Amino acid sequence: MRTAKSRLKWYTKRDENKIKTDEAKNNFEAMIYTMRDWLREDENALYVEESASAAYIEQLTEWEDWLYDEGSNLMYNVYEDMFKNMTKDLNSYKARRSLSETRPEFVQKTNEALDKMKEVMEEDFESAATQEEKTDVIDKISEVKTWFNDLADQQ
Protein backbone atom coordinates (compact mmCIF):
# COMPACT_ATOMS: atom_id res chain seq x y z
CA MET A 1 0.00 0.00 0.00
CA ARG A 2 2.86 2.37 0.88
CA THR A 3 4.61 1.60 -2.38
CA ALA A 4 1.43 2.30 -4.32
CA LYS A 5 0.90 5.63 -2.51
CA SER A 6 4.51 6.59 -3.05
CA ARG A 7 4.29 5.71 -6.73
CA LEU A 8 1.02 7.63 -7.08
CA LYS A 9 2.61 10.67 -5.44
CA TRP A 10 5.59 10.43 -7.81
CA TYR A 11 3.32 10.22 -10.88
CA THR A 12 1.23 13.16 -9.66
CA LYS A 13 4.34 15.28 -9.19
CA ARG A 14 5.65 14.22 -12.61
CA ASP A 15 2.34 15.16 -14.24
CA GLU A 16 2.27 18.54 -12.49
CA ASN A 17 5.80 19.26 -13.68
CA LYS A 18 4.88 18.18 -17.21
CA ILE A 19 1.90 20.55 -17.25
CA LYS A 20 4.00 23.43 -15.88
CA THR A 21 6.71 22.69 -18.43
CA ASP A 22 4.26 22.60 -21.34
CA GLU A 23 2.68 25.89 -20.25
CA ALA A 24 6.05 27.59 -19.75
CA LYS A 25 7.33 26.30 -23.07
CA ASN A 26 4.19 27.53 -24.87
CA ASN A 27 4.43 30.93 -23.19
CA PHE A 28 8.08 31.24 -24.17
CA GLU A 29 7.35 30.27 -27.77
CA ALA A 30 4.45 32.73 -27.94
CA MET A 31 6.70 35.47 -26.57
CA ILE A 32 9.23 34.73 -29.31
CA TYR A 33 6.54 35.39 -31.93
CA THR A 34 5.22 38.44 -30.08
CA MET A 35 8.67 39.98 -29.76
CA ARG A 36 9.57 39.25 -33.37
CA ASP A 37 6.32 40.82 -34.61
CA TRP A 38 6.82 43.89 -32.44
CA LEU A 39 10.40 44.38 -33.62
CA ARG A 40 9.41 43.99 -37.28
CA GLU A 41 6.61 46.57 -37.16
CA ASP A 42 7.73 49.71 -38.98
CA GLU A 43 6.09 52.00 -36.44
CA ASN A 44 8.30 50.53 -33.68
CA ALA A 45 11.58 51.04 -35.57
CA LEU A 46 12.06 54.42 -33.89
CA TYR A 47 12.31 52.88 -30.44
CA VAL A 48 14.98 50.21 -31.04
CA GLU A 49 18.18 50.76 -32.95
CA GLU A 50 18.21 48.90 -36.25
CA SER A 51 21.34 46.90 -35.40
CA ALA A 52 19.94 45.94 -31.98
CA SER A 53 16.62 44.97 -33.53
CA ALA A 54 18.31 42.81 -36.18
CA ALA A 55 20.49 41.14 -33.55
CA TYR A 56 17.48 40.46 -31.33
CA ILE A 57 15.49 38.99 -34.24
CA GLU A 58 18.44 36.72 -35.02
CA GLN A 59 18.56 35.68 -31.34
CA LEU A 60 14.84 34.93 -31.45
CA THR A 61 15.35 32.63 -34.44
CA GLU A 62 18.14 30.84 -32.58
CA TRP A 63 15.92 30.44 -29.49
CA GLU A 64 13.11 29.10 -31.64
CA ASP A 65 15.45 26.51 -33.18
CA TRP A 66 16.88 25.70 -29.74
CA LEU A 67 13.38 25.22 -28.38
CA TYR A 68 12.77 22.34 -30.79
CA ASP A 69 16.24 20.82 -30.45
CA GLU A 70 18.44 21.00 -27.34
CA GLY A 71 15.90 22.94 -25.31
CA SER A 72 12.96 20.66 -25.93
CA ASN A 73 13.21 18.60 -22.73
CA LEU A 74 14.14 21.08 -20.03
CA MET A 75 12.26 21.90 -16.85
CA TYR A 76 9.68 24.67 -16.74
CA ASN A 77 11.86 27.05 -14.73
CA VAL A 78 14.29 27.44 -17.67
CA TYR A 79 11.47 28.49 -20.01
CA GLU A 80 9.94 30.74 -17.34
CA ASP A 81 13.25 32.57 -16.84
CA MET A 82 13.72 33.11 -20.56
CA PHE A 83 10.10 34.26 -20.88
CA LYS A 84 10.55 36.75 -18.01
CA ASN A 85 13.73 38.18 -19.53
CA MET A 86 12.12 38.59 -22.93
CA THR A 87 9.00 40.12 -21.40
CA LYS A 88 11.20 42.60 -19.55
CA ASP A 89 12.89 43.57 -22.82
CA LEU A 90 9.57 43.96 -24.63
CA ASN A 91 8.17 46.06 -21.80
CA SER A 92 11.20 48.36 -21.92
CA TYR A 93 10.75 48.81 -25.68
CA LYS A 94 7.05 49.53 -25.21
CA ALA A 95 7.90 52.00 -22.44
CA ARG A 96 10.22 53.84 -24.83
CA ARG A 97 7.40 54.08 -27.31
CA SER A 98 4.93 55.26 -24.69
CA LEU A 99 7.37 57.82 -23.36
CA SER A 100 8.06 59.10 -26.84
CA GLU A 101 4.35 59.43 -27.58
CA THR A 102 3.48 61.20 -24.32
CA ARG A 103 6.66 63.30 -24.10
CA PRO A 104 5.54 66.29 -26.20
CA GLU A 105 2.45 66.77 -24.05
CA PHE A 106 4.54 66.47 -20.89
CA VAL A 107 7.04 69.07 -22.13
CA GLN A 108 4.22 71.41 -23.13
CA LYS A 109 2.40 71.10 -19.79
CA THR A 110 5.63 71.60 -17.85
CA ASN A 111 6.42 74.76 -19.81
CA GLU A 112 2.88 76.02 -19.28
CA ALA A 113 3.17 75.42 -15.53
CA LEU A 114 6.51 77.24 -15.37
CA ASP A 115 5.08 80.14 -17.38
CA LYS A 116 2.10 80.32 -15.05
CA MET A 117 4.39 80.37 -11.99
CA LYS A 118 6.39 83.18 -13.53
CA GLU A 119 3.23 85.16 -14.35
CA VAL A 120 1.92 84.75 -10.80
CA MET A 121 5.20 85.95 -9.35
CA GLU A 122 5.30 88.94 -11.68
CA GLU A 123 1.70 89.93 -10.92
CA ASP A 124 1.57 89.22 -7.20
CA PHE A 125 4.13 91.46 -5.56
CA GLU A 126 2.73 90.89 -2.05
CA SER A 127 3.86 87.24 -2.02
CA ALA A 128 7.50 88.32 -2.09
CA ALA A 129 9.03 90.08 0.88
CA THR A 130 11.23 92.29 -1.27
CA GLN A 131 11.65 93.17 -4.91
CA GLU A 132 15.02 91.39 -4.83
CA GLU A 133 13.38 88.11 -3.68
CA LYS A 134 10.73 88.43 -6.35
CA THR A 135 13.36 88.95 -9.04
CA ASP A 136 15.37 86.04 -7.68
CA VAL A 137 12.38 83.66 -7.86
CA ILE A 138 11.50 84.81 -11.39
CA ASP A 139 15.12 84.28 -12.47
CA LYS A 140 15.14 80.80 -10.92
CA ILE A 141 11.93 79.90 -12.77
CA SER A 142 13.52 81.08 -16.03
CA GLU A 143 16.66 79.03 -15.28
CA VAL A 144 14.60 75.91 -14.59
CA LYS A 145 12.65 76.41 -17.81
CA THR A 146 15.85 76.85 -19.82
CA TRP A 147 17.44 73.80 -18.16
CA PHE A 148 14.33 71.70 -18.72
CA ASN A 149 14.00 72.66 -22.38
CA ASP A 150 17.70 72.02 -22.98
CA LEU A 151 17.30 68.52 -21.57
CA ALA A 152 14.16 67.95 -23.63
CA ASP A 153 15.99 69.08 -26.78
CA GLN A 154 18.92 66.74 -26.03
CA GLN A 155 16.56 63.80 -25.86
Coordinates of all heavy atoms in Angstrom, one line a residue, residues 57-136:
I57 N 16.3 39.9 -33.4 CA 15.5 39.0 -34.2 C 16.3 37.7 -34.6 O 15.8 36.6 -34.6 CB 15.0 39.7 -35.5 CG1 14.0 40.8 -35.2 CG2 14.5 38.8 -36.6 CD1 13.6 41.7 -36.3
E58 N 17.6 37.9 -34.8 CA 18.4 36.7 -35.0 C 18.5 35.8 -33.8 O 18.4 34.6 -33.9 CB 19.8 37.2 -35.4 CG 20.8 36.1 -35.8 CD 22.1 36.6 -36.2 OE1 22.2 37.6 -36.9 OE2 23.1 35.9 -35.8
Q59 N 18.6 36.4 -32.6 CA 18.6 35.7 -31.3 C 17.2 34.9 -31.2 O 17.2 33.8 -30.7 CB 18.8 36.6 -30.2 CG 18.8 35.9 -28.8 CD 20.0 34.9 -28.7 OE1 21.1 35.3 -28.9 NE2 19.7 33.7 -28.3
L60 N 16.2 35.6 -31.6 CA 14.8 34.9 -31.5 C 14.8 33.7 -32.3 O 14.2 32.7 -31.9 CB 13.7 35.9 -31.8 CG 13.5 37.1 -30.9 CD1 12.6 38.1 -31.5 CD2 13.0 36.6 -29.5
T61 N 15.3 33.8 -33.5 CA 15.4 32.6 -34.4 C 16.2 31.5 -33.8 O 15.8 30.3 -33.9 CB 15.9 33.1 -35.8 OG1 15.1 34.1 -36.3 CG2 15.9 31.9 -36.8
E62 N 17.3 31.9 -33.2 CA 18.1 30.8 -32.6 C 17.4 30.2 -31.4 O 17.5 29.0 -31.2 CB 19.5 31.5 -32.1 CG 20.4 31.8 -33.2 CD 21.6 32.6 -32.7 OE1 21.9 32.5 -31.5 OE2 22.3 33.2 -33.5
W63 N 16.7 31.0 -30.6 CA 15.9 30.4 -29.5 C 14.8 29.5 -30.0 O 14.5 28.5 -29.4 CB 15.3 31.5 -28.6 CG 16.3 32.2 -27.7 CD1 17.5 31.6 -27.2 CD2 16.2 33.5 -27.1 NE1 18.1 32.5 -26.4 CE2 17.4 33.6 -26.3 CE3 15.3 34.5 -27.2 CZ2 17.6 34.8 -25.6 CZ3 15.6 35.7 -26.5 CH2 16.7 35.8 -25.7
E64 N 14.2 29.9 -31.1 CA 13.1 29.1 -31.6 C 13.7 27.7 -32.1 O 13.1 26.7 -31.8 CB 12.4 29.8 -32.8 CG 11.2 29.1 -33.4 CD 10.6 29.9 -34.5 OE1 11.1 30.9 -35.0 OE2 9.5 29.4 -34.8
D65 N 14.8 27.8 -32.8 CA 15.5 26.5 -33.2 C 15.9 25.7 -32.0 O 15.7 24.5 -31.9 CB 16.7 26.8 -34.1 CG 16.3 27.4 -35.4 OD1 15.1 27.3 -35.8 OD2 17.2 28.0 -36.0
W66 N 16.4 26.4 -31.0 CA 16.9 25.7 -29.7 C 15.7 25.0 -29.0 O 15.8 23.9 -28.5 CB 17.5 26.7 -28.8 CG 17.8 26.3 -27.5 CD1 18.9 25.6 -27.0 CD2 17.0 26.5 -26.3 NE1 18.8 25.4 -25.7 CE2 17.7 25.9 -25.2 CE3 15.8 27.1 -26.1 CZ2 17.1 25.9 -23.9 CZ3 15.3 27.1 -24.8 CH2 15.9 26.5 -23.7
L67 N 14.6 25.7 -29.1 CA 13.4 25.2 -28.4 C 13.0 23.9 -28.9 O 12.5 23.0 -28.2 CB 12.2 26.2 -28.5 CG 11.0 26.0 -27.7 CD1 11.3 26.1 -26.2 CD2 10.0 27.2 -28.0
Y68 N 13.2 23.6 -30.2 CA 12.8 22.3 -30.8 C 13.9 21.3 -30.8 O 13.7 20.2 -31.1 CB 12.3 22.6 -32.2 CG 11.0 23.4 -32.2 CD1 11.0 24.7 -32.7 CD2 9.8 22.9 -31.7 CE1 9.9 25.5 -32.7 CE2 8.7 23.7 -31.7 CZ 8.7 24.9 -32.2 OH 7.6 25.7 -32.2
D69 N 15.1 21.8 -30.5 CA 16.2 20.8 -30.5 C 16.7 20.6 -29.0 O 16.1 19.9 -28.3 CB 17.4 21.4 -31.3 CG 17.1 21.4 -32.8 OD1 16.2 20.5 -33.2 OD2 17.6 22.2 -33.5
E70 N 17.8 21.2 -28.7 CA 18.4 21.0 -27.3 C 17.5 21.4 -26.2 O 17.6 20.9 -25.1 CB 19.8 21.8 -27.2 CG 20.8 21.5 -28.3 CD 20.7 22.5 -29.4 OE1 20.7 23.7 -29.1 OE2 20.7 22.1 -30.5
G71 N 16.7 22.4 -26.4 CA 15.9 22.9 -25.3 C 14.5 22.3 -25.2 O 13.7 22.8 -24.4
S72 N 14.3 21.2 -25.9 CA 13.0 20.7 -25.9 C 12.6 19.9 -24.7 O 11.4 19.7 -24.4 CB 12.8 19.8 -27.1 OG 13.7 18.7 -27.1
N73 N 13.5 19.4 -23.9 CA 13.2 18.6 -22.7 C 13.7 19.2 -21.4 O 14.1 18.4 -20.5 CB 13.8 17.2 -22.9 CG 13.1 16.5 -24.1 OD1 11.9 16.5 -24.2 ND2 13.9 15.8 -24.9
L74 N 13.7 20.5 -21.3 CA 14.1 21.1 -20.0 C 13.0 21.3 -19.1 O 11.8 21.2 -19.4 CB 14.8 22.4 -20.3 CG 16.0 22.3 -21.3 CD1 16.6 23.7 -21.6 CD2 17.1 21.5 -20.6
M75 N 13.3 21.6 -17.8 CA 12.3 21.9 -16.8 C 11.6 23.3 -17.1 O 12.2 24.1 -17.7 CB 12.8 21.8 -15.4 CG 13.2 20.4 -15.0 SD 11.8 19.3 -14.9 CE 10.9 20.1 -13.5
Y76 N 10.5 23.5 -16.5 CA 9.7 24.7 -16.7 C 10.4 25.9 -16.3 O 10.2 27.0 -16.9 CB 8.3 24.6 -16.1 CG 8.4 24.4 -14.6 CD1 8.3 25.5 -13.7 CD2 8.4 23.1 -14.0 CE1 8.4 25.4 -12.4 CE2 8.4 23.0 -12.6 CZ 8.4 24.1 -11.8 OH 8.5 24.0 -10.4
N77 N 11.2 25.8 -15.2 CA 11.9 27.1 -14.7 C 12.8 27.7 -15.8 O 13.0 28.9 -15.7 CB 12.6 26.8 -13.4 CG 13.6 25.7 -13.5 OD1 13.7 24.9 -14.5 ND2 14.5 25.6 -12.5
V78 N 13.4 26.9 -16.6 CA 14.3 27.4 -17.7 C 13.5 28.3 -18.6 O 13.8 29.4 -19.0 CB 15.0 26.3 -18.4 CG1 15.8 26.8 -19.6 CG2 15.9 25.5 -17.5
Y79 N 12.3 27.8 -19.1 CA 11.5 28.5 -20.0 C 10.9 29.7 -19.3 O 10.8 30.8 -20.0 CB 10.3 27.6 -20.5 CG 10.8 26.3 -21.2 CD1 10.4 25.1 -20.7 CD2 11.6 26.4 -22.3 CE1 10.9 23.9 -21.3 CE2 12.1 25.2 -22.9 CZ 11.7 24.0 -22.4 OH 12.1 22.8 -23.0
E80 N 10.5 29.6 -18.1 CA 9.9 30.7 -17.3 C 11.0 31.9 -17.2 O 10.6 33.0 -17.4 CB 9.5 30.3 -15.9 CG 8.2 29.5 -15.9 CD 7.8 29.0 -14.6 OE1 8.7 29.1 -13.6 OE2 6.7 28.6 -14.4
D81 N 12.2 31.5 -16.9 CA 13.3 32.6 -16.8 C 13.5 33.3 -18.2 O 13.6 34.5 -18.2 CB 14.6 32.0 -16.4 CG 14.5 31.5 -14.9 OD1 13.6 32.0 -14.2 OD2 15.4 30.8 -14.5
M82 N 13.5 32.5 -19.2 CA 13.7 33.1 -20.6 C 12.5 34.0 -20.9 O 12.7 35.1 -21.5 CB 14.0 32.0 -21.6 CG 15.3 31.3 -21.3 SD 15.6 30.0 -22.5 CE 16.3 30.9 -23.9
F83 N 11.3 33.5 -20.6 CA 10.1 34.3 -20.9 C 10.1 35.6 -20.1 O 9.8 36.6 -20.7 CB 8.9 33.4 -20.5 CG 7.6 34.2 -20.5 CD1 6.9 34.3 -21.7 CD2 7.0 34.7 -19.4 CE1 5.7 35.0 -21.8 CE2 5.8 35.4 -19.5 CZ 5.2 35.5 -20.7
K84 N 10.5 35.5 -18.8 CA 10.5 36.8 -18.0 C 11.5 37.8 -18.6 O 11.3 39.0 -18.6 CB 10.9 36.4 -16.6 CG 9.8 35.8 -15.8 CD 10.3 35.4 -14.4 CE 9.2 34.5 -13.7 NZ 9.7 34.0 -12.4
N85 N 12.7 37.3 -19.0 CA 13.7 38.2 -19.5 C 13.2 38.8 -20.8 O 13.4 40.0 -21.0 CB 15.0 37.4 -19.8 CG 15.7 37.1 -18.5 OD1 15.6 37.7 -17.5 ND2 16.5 36.0 -18.5
M86 N 12.6 38.0 -21.7 CA 12.1 38.6 -22.9 C 11.0 39.6 -22.7 O 10.9 40.6 -23.3 CB 11.7 37.5 -23.9 CG 11.7 37.9 -25.3 SD 11.1 36.6 -26.5 CE 12.0 35.2 -25.9
T87 N 10.1 39.2 -21.7 CA 9.0 40.1 -21.4 C 9.5 41.4 -20.9 O 9.0 42.5 -21.2 CB 8.1 39.5 -20.3 OG1 7.6 38.2 -20.9 CG2 6.9 40.3 -20.0
K88 N 10.6 41.4 -20.1 CA 11.2 42.6 -19.6 C 11.7 43.5 -20.7 O 11.5 44.7 -20.7 CB 12.3 42.2 -18.6 CG 12.9 43.4 -17.9 CD 14.0 42.9 -16.9 CE 15.3 43.0 -17.5 NZ 16.4 42.6 -16.7
D89 N 12.4 42.8 -21.7 CA 12.9 43.6 -22.8 C 11.7 44.2 -23.6 O 11.8 45.4 -24.0 CB 13.7 42.7 -23.7 CG 15.0 42.2 -23.1 OD1 15.5 42.8 -22.1 OD2 15.6 41.2 -23.6
L90 N 10.7 43.4 -23.9 CA 9.6 44.0 -24.6 C 8.9 45.1 -23.9 O 8.6 46.1 -24.5 CB 8.5 42.9 -24.9 CG 7.3 43.3 -25.7 CD1 7.7 43.8 -27.1 CD2 6.4 42.1 -25.9
N91 N 8.8 45.0 -22.6 CA 8.2 46.1 -21.8 C 9.0 47.3 -21.8 O 8.5 48.4 -21.9 CB 7.9 45.6 -20.4 CG 6.8 44.6 -20.2 OD1 6.0 44.5 -21.1 ND2 6.8 43.9 -19.2
S92 N 10.3 47.2 -21.8 CA 11.2 48.4 -21.9 C 11.1 49.0 -23.3 O 11.1 50.3 -23.4 CB 12.7 48.0 -21.6 OG 13.3 47.3 -22.7
Y93 N 10.9 48.2 -24.4 CA 10.8 48.8 -25.7 C 9.4 49.5 -25.8 O 9.3 50.6 -26.3 CB 10.8 47.7 -26.8 CG 12.2 47.1 -26.9 CD1 12.3 45.8 -27.3 CD2 13.4 47.8 -26.6 CE1 13.5 45.2 -27.5 CE2 14.6 47.2 -26.8 CZ 14.7 45.9 -27.2 OH 15.9 45.3 -27.3
K94 N 8.4 48.9 -25.2 CA 7.1 49.5 -25.2 C 7.0 50.8 -24.4 O 6.4 51.8 -24.7 CB 6.0 48.5 -24.7 CG 5.7 47.5 -25.7 CD 4.6 46.5 -25.2 CE 4.2 45.5 -26.2 NZ 3.1 44.6 -25.7
A95 N 7.8 50.8 -23.3 CA 7.9 52.0 -22.4 C 8.6 53.1 -23.2 O 8.2 54.3 -23.1 CB 8.7 51.7 -21.2
R96 N 9.6 52.8 -24.0 CA 10.2 53.8 -24.8 C 9.2 54.5 -25.8 O 9.2 55.7 -26.0 CB 11.4 53.2 -25.7 CG 12.6 52.9 -24.9 CD 13.6 52.3 -25.9 NE 14.7 51.7 -25.2 CZ 15.7 51.0 -25.8 NH1 15.6 50.8 -27.1 NH2 16.6 50.5 -25.1
R97 N 8.4 53.6 -26.4 CA 7.4 54.1 -27.3 C 6.4 55.0 -26.6 O 6.0 56.1 -27.0 CB 6.7 52.9 -28.0 CG 5.6 53.3 -28.9 CD 5.0 52.2 -29.6 NE 3.9 52.7 -30.5 CZ 3.3 52.0 -31.4 NH1 3.7 50.7 -31.6 NH2 2.4 52.5 -32.1
S98 N 5.9 54.5 -25.5 CA 4.9 55.3 -24.7 C 5.5 56.6 -24.3 O 4.8 57.6 -24.4 CB 4.5 54.4 -23.5 OG 3.6 55.2 -22.7
L99 N 6.7 56.6 -23.8 CA 7.4 57.8 -23.4 C 7.5 58.8 -24.5 O 7.3 60.0 -24.4 CB 8.8 57.5 -22.8 CG 9.6 58.7 -22.3 CD1 8.8 59.4 -21.1 CD2 10.9 58.3 -21.8
S100 N 7.9 58.3 -25.7 CA 8.1 59.1 -26.8 C 6.7 59.7 -27.3 O 6.7 60.9 -27.7 CB 8.7 58.3 -28.0 OG 8.8 59.0 -29.1
E101 N 5.7 58.9 -27.2 CA 4.4 59.4 -27.6 C 3.8 60.4 -26.6 O 3.1 61.4 -27.0 CB 3.4 58.3 -27.8 CG 3.7 57.4 -29.0 CD 3.0 56.1 -29.0 OE1 2.2 55.8 -28.0 OE2 3.0 55.4 -30.1
T102 N 4.1 60.3 -25.3 CA 3.5 61.2 -24.3 C 4.4 62.4 -24.0 O 4.0 63.3 -23.3 CB 3.1 60.4 -23.0 OG1 4.3 59.8 -22.5 CG2 2.1 59.4 -23.3
R103 N 5.7 62.3 -24.4 CA 6.7 63.3 -24.1 C 6.3 64.7 -24.5 O 6.4 65.7 -23.8 CB 8.0 62.9 -24.7 CG 9.2 63.6 -24.2 CD 10.4 63.0 -24.7 NE 11.5 63.9 -24.5 CZ 11.8 64.9 -25.3 NH1 11.1 65.2 -26.3 NH2 12.8 65.7 -25.0
P104 N 5.8 64.9 -25.8 CA 5.5 66.3 -26.2 C 4.5 67.0 -25.3 O 4.6 68.1 -25.0 CB 5.0 66.1 -27.6 CG 5.6 64.9 -28.1 CD 5.7 64.0 -26.9
E105 N 3.5 66.2 -24.9 CA 2.4 66.8 -24.1 C 3.0 67.1 -22.7 O 2.7 68.1 -22.1 CB 1.3 65.8 -23.9 CG 0.2 66.3 -23.0 CD -0.9 65.3 -22.8 OE1 -0.9 64.2 -23.4 OE2 -1.9 65.6 -22.1
F106 N 3.9 66.2 -22.2 CA 4.5 66.5 -20.9 C 5.4 67.7 -20.9 O 5.3 68.6 -20.0 CB 5.4 65.3 -20.5 CG 6.2 65.5 -19.3 CD1 5.7 65.5 -18.0 CD2 7.6 65.7 -19.4 CE1 6.4 65.7 -16.9 CE2 8.4 66.0 -18.2 CZ 7.8 66.0 -17.0
V107 N 6.2 67.9 -22.0 CA 7.0 69.1 -22.1 C 6.2 70.3 -22.2 O 6.5 71.3 -21.6 CB 8.0 68.9 -23.4 CG1 8.7 70.3 -23.7 CG2 9.0 67.8 -23.2
Q108 N 5.1 70.3 -23.0 CA 4.2 71.4 -23.1 C 3.6 71.8 -21.8 O 3.6 73.0 -21.4 CB 3.1 71.1 -24.2 CG 2.1 72.2 -24.3 CD 0.9 71.8 -25.2 OE1 0.9 70.8 -25.8 NE2 0.0 72.7 -25.3
K109 N 3.1 70.8 -21.1 CA 2.4 71.1 -19.8 C 3.4 71.6 -18.8 O 3.1 72.5 -18.0 CB 1.7 69.9 -19.3 CG 0.4 69.6 -20.0 CD -0.4 68.4 -19.4 CE -1.6 68.2 -20.2 NZ -2.5 67.3 -19.6
T110 N 4.6 71.1 -18.8 CA 5.6 71.6 -17.8 C 6.0 73.1 -18.2 O 6.1 73.9 -17.2 CB 6.9 70.7 -17.9 OG1 6.5 69.4 -17.6 CG2 8.0 71.2 -17.0
N111 N 6.1 73.4 -19.4 CA 6.4 74.8 -19.8 C 5.3 75.7 -19.5 O 5.5 76.8 -19.0 CB 6.8 74.9 -21.3 CG 8.2 74.5 -21.6 OD1 9.1 74.9 -20.9 ND2 8.4 73.7 -22.6
E112 N 4.1 75.2 -19.7 CA 2.9 76.0 -19.3 C 2.8 76.3 -17.8 O 2.6 77.4 -17.3 CB 1.6 75.3 -19.7 CG 1.4 75.4 -21.2 CD 0.2 74.5 -21.7 OE1 -0.5 73.9 -20.8 OE2 0.0 74.4 -22.9
A113 N 3.2 75.3 -17.0 CA 3.2 75.4 -15.5 C 4.3 76.4 -15.1 O 4.0 77.2 -14.2 CB 3.4 74.1 -14.9
L114 N 5.4 76.3 -15.7 CA 6.5 77.2 -15.4 C 6.1 78.7 -15.8 O 6.4 79.6 -15.0 CB 7.8 76.8 -16.0 CG 8.4 75.5 -15.5 CD1 9.6 75.0 -16.4 CD2 8.9 75.8 -14.0
D115 N 5.5 78.8 -16.9 CA 5.1 80.1 -17.4 C 4.0 80.7 -16.4 O 4.1 81.9 -16.1 CB 4.5 80.1 -18.8 CG 5.6 79.9 -19.9 OD1 6.8 80.1 -19.6 OD2 5.2 79.4 -21.0
K116 N 3.1 79.9 -16.0 CA 2.1 80.3 -15.0 C 2.7 80.8 -13.7 O 2.3 81.8 -13.1 CB 1.1 79.2 -14.8 CG -0.1 79.7 -14.0 CD -1.2 78.7 -14.0 CE -2.4 79.3 -13.1 NZ -3.5 78.4 -13.2
M117 N 3.7 80.0 -13.2 CA 4.4 80.4 -12.0 C 5.1 81.7 -12.1 O 5.0 82.6 -11.2 CB 5.5 79.3 -11.6 CG 4.9 78.1 -11.0 SD 6.4 77.1 -10.4 CE 6.0 75.6 -11.3
K118 N 5.7 81.9 -13.3 CA 6.4 83.2 -13.5 C 5.4 84.3 -13.6 O 5.6 85.4 -13.0 CB 7.2 83.1 -14.8 CG 8.1 84.2 -15.1 CD 8.9 83.9 -16.3 CE 9.9 85.1 -16.6 NZ 10.7 84.9 -17.8
E119 N 4.3 84.1 -14.3 CA 3.2 85.2 -14.3 C 2.7 85.5 -13.0 O 2.5 86.7 -12.6 CB 2.1 84.7 -15.2 CG 2.3 84.7 -16.7 CD 1.1 84.2 -17.4 OE1 -0.1 84.3 -17.0 OE2 1.3 83.6 -18.5
V120 N 2.4 84.5 -12.2 CA 1.9 84.7 -10.8 C 2.9 85.6 -10.0 O 2.5 86.5 -9.3 CB 1.6 83.4 -10.1 CG1 1.3 83.6 -8.6 CG2 0.4 82.8 -10.8
M121 N 4.2 85.2 -10.1 CA 5.2 85.9 -9.3 C 5.3 87.4 -9.8 O 5.5 88.3 -9.1 CB 6.6 85.3 -9.5 CG 6.9 84.2 -8.5 SD 6.5 84.6 -6.8 CE 7.7 85.8 -6.4
E122 N 5.2 87.6 -11.1 CA 5.3 88.9 -11.7 C 4.1 89.8 -11.3 O 4.2 91.0 -11.1 CB 5.4 88.9 -13.2 CG 6.8 88.4 -13.7 CD 6.9 88.1 -15.2 OE1 5.8 88.0 -15.8 OE2 8.0 88.0 -15.6
E123 N 2.9 89.2 -11.2 CA 1.7 89.9 -10.9 C 1.5 90.1 -9.4 O 1.0 91.2 -9.0 CB 0.5 89.2 -11.5 CG 0.5 89.2 -13.0 CD -0.7 88.3 -13.6 OE1 -1.4 87.8 -12.8 OE2 -0.7 88.2 -14.8
D124 N 1.9 89.2 -8.6 CA 1.6 89.2 -7.2 C 2.8 89.6 -6.4 O 3.5 88.8 -5.9 CB 1.1 87.8 -6.8 CG 0.6 87.8 -5.3 OD1 0.4 88.9 -4.8 OD2 0.4 86.7 -4.8
F125 N 3.0 90.9 -6.3 CA 4.1 91.5 -5.6 C 4.1 91.2 -4.1 O 5.1 91.0 -3.4 CB 4.2 93.0 -5.8 CG 5.5 93.6 -5.1 CD1 6.7 93.4 -5.6 CD2 5.3 94.3 -4.0 CE1 7.8 93.9 -5.0 CE2 6.4 94.9 -3.4 CZ 7.7 94.7 -3.9
E126 N 2.9 91.1 -3.5 CA 2.7 90.9 -2.0 C 3.3 89.5 -1.6 O 3.6 89.4 -0.4 CB 1.2 91.0 -1.6 CG 0.7 92.4 -1.7 CD 0.2 92.7 -3.2 OE1 -0.2 91.8 -3.9 OE2 0.4 93.8 -3.6
S127 N 3.4 88.6 -2.4 CA 3.9 87.2 -2.0 C 5.4 87.2 -1.8 O 5.9 86.4 -1.1 CB 3.5 86.2 -3.0 OG 4.2 86.4 -4.2
A128 N 6.0 88.2 -2.3 CA 7.5 88.3 -2.1 C 7.8 89.4 -1.0 O 7.1 90.4 -1.0 CB 8.2 88.7 -3.4
A129 N 8.7 89.1 -0.2 CA 9.0 90.1 0.9 C 9.7 91.3 0.3 O 9.4 92.4 0.7 CB 9.9 89.4 1.9
T130 N 10.5 91.1 -0.7 CA 11.2 92.3 -1.3 C 11.2 92.1 -2.8 O 11.0 91.0 -3.3 CB 12.7 92.4 -0.8 OG1 13.4 91.2 -1.2 CG2 12.8 92.5 0.7
Q131 N 11.5 93.2 -3.5 CA 11.7 93.2 -4.9 C 12.8 92.2 -5.3 O 12.7 91.5 -6.3 CB 11.9 94.6 -5.5 CG 12.0 94.7 -7.0 CD 10.8 94.2 -7.7 OE1 9.7 94.4 -7.3 NE2 11.0 93.6 -8.9
E132 N 13.8 92.2 -4.5 CA 15.0 91.4 -4.8 C 14.6 89.9 -4.8 O 15.0 89.1 -5.6 CB 16.1 91.7 -3.8 CG 17.4 91.0 -4.1 CD 18.5 91.3 -3.1 OE1 18.9 92.5 -3.0 OE2 18.9 90.4 -2.4
E133 N 13.8 89.5 -3.8 CA 13.4 88.1 -3.7 C 12.5 87.8 -4.9 O 12.6 86.6 -5.4 CB 12.6 87.9 -2.4 CG 13.5 87.9 -1.1 CD 12.7 87.7 0.1 OE1 11.5 87.8 0.1 OE2 13.4 87.4 1.2
K134 N 11.6 88.7 -5.2 CA 10.7 88.4 -6.4 C 11.5 88.2 -7.6 O 11.3 87.3 -8.4 CB 9.8 89.6 -6.5 CG 8.8 89.5 -7.7 CD 7.9 90.7 -7.7 CE 7.0 90.6 -8.9 NZ 6.1 91.7 -9.1
T135 N 12.5 89.1 -7.9 CA 13.4 89.0 -9.0 C 14.1 87.6 -9.0 O 14.3 87.0 -10.0 CB 14.3 90.1 -9.1 OG1 13.5 91.4 -9.1 CG2 15.2 90.1 -10.4
D136 N 14.6 87.3 -7.8 CA 15.4 86.0 -7.7 C 14.5 84.8 -8.0 O 15.0 83.9 -8.8 CB 15.9 85.9 -6.2 CG 16.8 84.7 -6.1 OD1 17.7 84.5 -6.9 OD2 16.7 84.0 -5.1

